[in-house]
Amino acid sequence: MHRLTTLLSGIFLVFLTSWLGLVAYPALHLGRLTPVPDPDNGGSFPPTYGGQAIAGQRVYATEGCISCHSQQVRQSSVTTSDVDRGWGLRPSVARDYLRDSTAFLGSRRLGQDLSNVGVRRPDAKWHLIHLYHPSAVCEGSVMPCFSHLFLIRKIQGQPSDEALNLTGDDAPKEGYEVVPTAEAKNLVAYLLALRHDYPLPEAPVKKNGAAK
Amino acid sequence: MSDHTLPHHDDKSGHLHVDIKAIDASVRLPVIILFGNAIHWLVIASLLSLIVSVKLIAPGFLGGVSFLTYGRLAPMARDLMLYGWASQAALGTGIWLMARLCGRPLGGEHSGGFGGELLRTLVISATVLWNLAVLLGTLAILAGYSSGVEWLEYPSWASAMLLLSFLLIGIWAVLLFDRRGTGRAVVAQWYLVAAFCWFPWVYGTANLLLVWKPIQASAQGPIQSWYCGSLLALWLLPVALASAYALLPRLLGSHLNRRNLATLSFWMLLLLGGWNGMDRLIGGPVPAWMTSAGVVAGVLFLIPVFMISMNLLGMDRKEAIVAGSISARFLLMGLYALICVGSIGALASLPSVSGAVRFTAFTEAKTQLWILGAISLPLFAVLYESFPQLLGRDCWSPVLTGRHYILTLVGIAMLISLLLLGGLFTGIALADPTVSFLNITSYSYPFHLMECVAQLLLLIAALILGANITRALAGDYLLNKQPRK
């Protein structure tokens, strides 16, 4: 160990092992996965995101939803509780993420797993109210209010049909309405698009599953 | 033996005319800048962590403001701990130890092709750049420009600045090792060289593939886990271990018994460290062999951890000496924390345990013990040891030092046990699908409440350390007589 080069080459070689296994291998194999065709309607699995959902991923990233929510249903060899809890019909696999800009896998579940939240909660209005004030639809929620993604404005003529239907303490003052900003709408479009409920060769969905 | 010699290894060559004073003078400014700033980030990070835990018991606290939501503050706090505090203190540690161990002043005539003053200016500018990058990165998360990748939230330009700054400091450290004046290299130097080579590699690769030019997301999971594991086990931990290997024998007035053990554990740690993060993906959307690799690496990681601890804790030590040296106490506690981290990590890698606790506070406990325990405690030891030598006087207030030590340990112990227990409870409850998720959230309330207390203790500890270092640096101006020994 007298010479720098000896030490450096040793370090380099040893370090290369994990780099090859966990960086190069994923980059070359997982990074080249392709969608599979959807036999029913000529589309593909995983389905593509619409423009709003694509933009919604940025909001998901910058608001730090990943601090509290994961997006992965685990393999049944490790635990069955993710599927049992109704967080997904089948375990998530690498191919499920290939439409995402960032894989929001997450490491903590202070809130539920969201990989199939679009299946579980298909109602955009619910999501908007939930984001505006989580406790309004979920008593005692510790999820923060994302009210800064909304505008409170004076009603001009007809109330907007986008206005949230809020009651009680959350309701704005008489003559005012709460409307979502583009960011809120994009985020909700993204949440609704979160669904790993289609079959893939490596992750079939059982026939009796409520997949649609 | 003069008070100012470092850990001198068995110097076979024997022609050692190392001018410790000149070495210390040459690194004084960069090391003080690095540690001083690291501590102010530590205070801010502790404050943010406290606010973040309060938000879990009172979600409305500081609510309704975009930049104060949990999702922005939590990554800010974590990144400040990692880059503002730990990595920066590790850089300071690296510079000081490397210059001392190599017997070369920074920018001295022996430092190779680089001109003395020029090199020193470069290193000092790099430390300023580092802090600028941390500040701007933090503000970017606050303002909603986070990349959304865990631990790599800083936007591209901020992470590029961070990397550049690291390279400006790190290249020097490696070159210095090459031109060392002390013959045979010691274990501490290997760890430092390894750490200084890894950070740019790990940080560069991960940023490139996840933030600068993101690779298709199906491949991102393993890379992200590799980054988190490597950052801790291959950059910060080696620096912490370097300080233990360099300082502990001298502080204890003892010497390492088994050099072979040190060599073997060094290479084992290197080999396994990169795989260590894979426990973050057990059962996740990755090929099955990666899950297995995660399990195996998590368990095997215990081996180097035990070898290193046996090596260092196996030295003869007299309790009286330990009690009299704050640095020795921090180093020993850091080693105990490392043993706990290794054991918790091995446990959490077992598939059945991982299945239950992976997304709970249990995982958070492990991460916190890594950062606050195995890594931060040895860095505190270096701080307490280096400043009196750099400033040339006994600069610490014994009262503040003692309080900092106690509060830090109590805070860490309390936080970790709460997170572990809370994680176990939620893990067990989650495994039973008949218990509703919201019900489980409400079980966690008492744990979250007590976590706030633990975070408060850690904040107070950080503030005391801040006061101690302010007092140490201002000492020349404020006190006419030197503090008692």
Side-chain angles (χ1 to χ4, degrees):
Chain A
M1 221 49 60
H2 290 252
R3 309 238 334 270
L4 179 64
T5 38
T6 331
L7 182 61
L8 284 186
S9 5
I11 288 173
F12 178 79
L13 284 179
V14 175
F15 194 43
L16 206 57
T17 59
S18 71
W19 190 83
L20 286 176
L22 299 179
V23 179
Y25 175 88
L28 295 177
H29 291 262
L30 304 182
R32 294 199 181 148
L33 289 172
T34 48
V36 294
D38 172 355
D40 293 344
N41 60 11
S44 63
F45 294 138
T48 46
Y49 288 140
Q52 274 195 317
I54 292 177
Q57 298 181 77
R58 276 311 301 152
V59 188
Y60 193 91
T62 57
E63 295 301 336
C65 311
I66 198 172
S67 321
C68 296
H69 291 287
S70 63
Q71 285 189 24
Q72 48 178 315
V73 177
R74 284 173 293 168
Q75 305 294 329
S76 42
S77 57
V78 169
T79 177
T80 53
S81 84
D82 291 2
V83 174
D84 294 345
R85 285 200 166 267
W87 288 345
L89 298 171
R90 59 166 176 83
S92 307
V93 291
R95 202 189 299 265
D96 286 321
Y97 301 86
L98 62 81
R99 305 285 187 195
D100 295 339
S101 57
T102 302
F104 297 112
L105 297 179
S107 53
R108 183 122 189 231
R109 284 179 182 161
L110 285 164
Q112 296 93 328
D113 185 88
L114 295 184
S115 43
N116 288 284
V117 72
V119 181
R120 197 157 69 232
R121 297 210 178 263
D123 179 8
K125 286 257 185 288
W126 183 91
H127 282 290
L128 287 170
I129 296 181
H130 183 247
L131 285 171
Y132 181 73
H133 190 186
S135 304
V137 284
C138 178
E139 182 75 29
S141 171
V142 298
M143 175 157 148
C145 300
F146 290 92
S147 46
H148 57 275
L149 300 177
F150 296 81
L151 284 175
I152 301 179
R153 65 175 187 203
K154 207 169 180 147
I155 299 176
Q156 311 273 339
Q158 279 294 351
S160 160
D161 50 5
E162 285 186 339
L164 302 195
N165 184 8
L166 297 162
T167 51
D169 287 347
D170 298 315
K173 275 196 312 239
E174 204 42 61
Y176 284 78
E177 62 185 358
V178 177
V179 288
T181 59
E183 287 185 318
K185 285 186 273 183
N186 292 342
L187 178 60
V188 170
Y190 172 60
L191 291 173
L192 294 182
L194 282 174
R195 42 197 315 148
H196 296 171
D197 59 344
Y198 41 83
L200 289 176
E202 65 275 34
V205 172
K206 284 197 209 79
K207 270 282 168 290
N208 57 357
K212 49 168 201 170
Chain B
M1 187 165 69
S2 126
D3 205 21
H4 291 280
T5 35
L6 235 199
H8 264 303
H9 29 101
D10 36 317
D11 173 45
K12 296 267 162 38
S13 62
H15 330 286
L16 219 93
H17 303 292
V18 178
D19 184 355
I20 299 284
K21 285 248 159 56
I23 296 177
D24 274 356
S26 74
V27 295
R28 179 174 301 135
L29 200 54
V31 174
I32 287 179
I33 296 179
L34 287 168
F35 265 110
N37 281 305
I39 287 165
H40 98 246
W41 290 125
L42 176 68
V43 172
I44 297 176
S46 311
L47 177 66
L48 290 175
S49 309
L50 175 62
I51 298 178
V52 166
S53 15
V54 172
K55 277 177 173 286
L56 287 185
I57 52 170
F61 178 66
L62 300 179
V65 190
S66 61
F67 50 84
L68 292 179
T69 51
Y70 185 97
R72 296 193 192 183
L73 292 186
M76 267 167 64
R78 170 68 23 96
D79 288 355
L80 281 179
M81 270 322 257
L82 289 172
Y83 308 109
W85 154 246
S87 294
Q88 180 156 217
L91 276 171
T93 302
I95 291 191
W96 183 64
L97 283 181
M98 202 55 140
R100 277 296 199 86
L101 290 167
C102 295
R104 288 277 185 256
L106 168 55
E109 66 268 37
H110 298 294
S111 61
F114 297 74
E117 248 345 280
L118 182 67
L119 176 63
R120 197 148 47 216
T121 319
L122 210 65
V123 171
I124 291 171
S125 328
T127 62
V128 175
L129 186 64
W130 181 277
N131 283 290
L132 199 63
V134 171
L135 175 68
L136 293 177
T138 308
L139 291 178
I141 300 179
L142 196 78
Y145 293 95
S146 157
S147 73
V149 182
E150 282 182 288
W151 297 22
L152 289 171
E153 283 90 354
Y154 292 167
S156 328
W157 43 269
S159 46
M161 274 166 74
L162 212 63
L163 185 60
L164 177 67
S165 151
F166 189 94
L167 287 174
L168 291 178
I169 302 174
I171 284 180
W172 167 80
V174 175
L175 279 180
L176 194 85
F177 175 74
D178 191 34
R179 297 178 166 80
R180 66 190 179 278
T182 51
R184 192 169 176 199
V186 287
V187 186
Q189 283 168 316
W190 307 346
Y191 274 113
L192 288 177
V193 171
F196 274 91
C197 293
W198 280 328
F199 182 83
W201 187 345
V202 175
Y203 194 70
T205 314
N207 266 301
L208 179 69
L209 295 177
L210 300 174
V211 182
W212 299 340
K213 219 182 156 300
I215 188 173
Q216 182 169 303
S218 46
Q220 289 177 3
I223 302 178
Q224 218 170 305
S225 308
W226 170 81
Y227 175 71
C228 297
S230 307
L231 184 74
L232 298 177
L234 297 182
W235 153 237
L236 295 168
L237 182 64
V239 175
L241 291 175
S243 46
Y245 274 107
L247 299 175
L248 209 49
R250 188 183 62 92
L251 290 172
L252 298 180
S254 179
H255 56 90
L256 279 185
N257 294 322
R258 277 172 288 185
R259 224 185 130 98
N260 298 347
L261 199 59
T263 318
L264 192 61
S265 51
F266 172 78
W267 292 110
M268 294 241 355
L269 187 81
L270 263 122
L271 194 62
L272 294 171
W275 297 90
N276 188 44
M278 283 315 286
D279 61 346
R280 298 169 65 94
L281 273 184
I282 291 174
V286 290
W289 68 264
M290 282 195 193
T291 292
S292 319
V295 177
V296 174
V299 175
L300 288 187
F301 195 68
L302 260 180
I303 301 176
V305 164
F306 271 118
M307 291 202 298
I308 291 164
S309 326
M310 262 166 62
N311 209 198
L312 287 165
L313 296 174
M315 279 183 294
D316 291 332
R317 56 173 193 267
K318 301 206 179 55
E319 287 314 313
I321 299 187
V322 175
S325 161
I326 185 71
S327 303
R329 278 150 73 197
F330 268 121
L331 285 172
L332 292 175
M333 283 300 162
L335 286 171
Y336 294 129
L338 180 62
I339 298 177
C340 295
V341 161
S343 315
I344 295 174
L347 188 67
S349 315
L350 301 176
S352 50
V353 182
S354 168
V357 301
R358 193 174 120 215
F359 291 106
T360 68
F362 198 90
T363 304
E364 180 67 9
K366 200 184 99 190
T367 311
Q368 292 281 19
L369 191 55
W370 262 107
I371 302 176
L372 297 172
I375 289 163
S376 295
L377 297 178
L379 294 176
F380 288 138
V382 175
L383 171 71
Y384 280 112
E385 182 64 16
S386 62
F387 267 49
Q389 305 195 24
L390 290 170
L391 298 174
R393 63 193 152 80
D394 195 358
C395 58
W396 301 117
S397 143
V399 177
L400 293 181
T401 307
R403 300 228 166 115
H404 170 234
Y405 178 76
I406 292 293
L407 278 174
T408 305
L409 288 192
V410 174
I412 294 176
M414 187 169 163
L415 183 67
I416 304 300
S417 14
L418 284 166
L419 289 171
L420 284 177
L421 275 178
L424 278 179
F425 274 122
T426 24
I428 292 168
L430 276 170
D432 176 1
T434 56
V435 187
S436 84
F437 185 82
L438 293 172
N439 230 331
I440 298 174
T441 319
S442 61
Y443 293 161
S444 319
Y445 182 85
F447 292 102
H448 291 322
L449 187 69
M450 296 300 291
E451 275 158 40
C452 296
V453 179
Q455 292 286 8
L456 183 65
L457 291 183
L458 288 171
L459 172 62
I460 299 174
L463 284 169
I464 292 177
L465 179 63
N468 207 356
I469 194 169
T470 312
R471 187 185 158 286
L473 292 176
D476 278 338
Y477 309 101
L478 296 183
L479 310 165
N480 10 22
K481 69 174 166 67
Q482 297 228 333
R484 272 182 308 116
K485 212 180 165 87

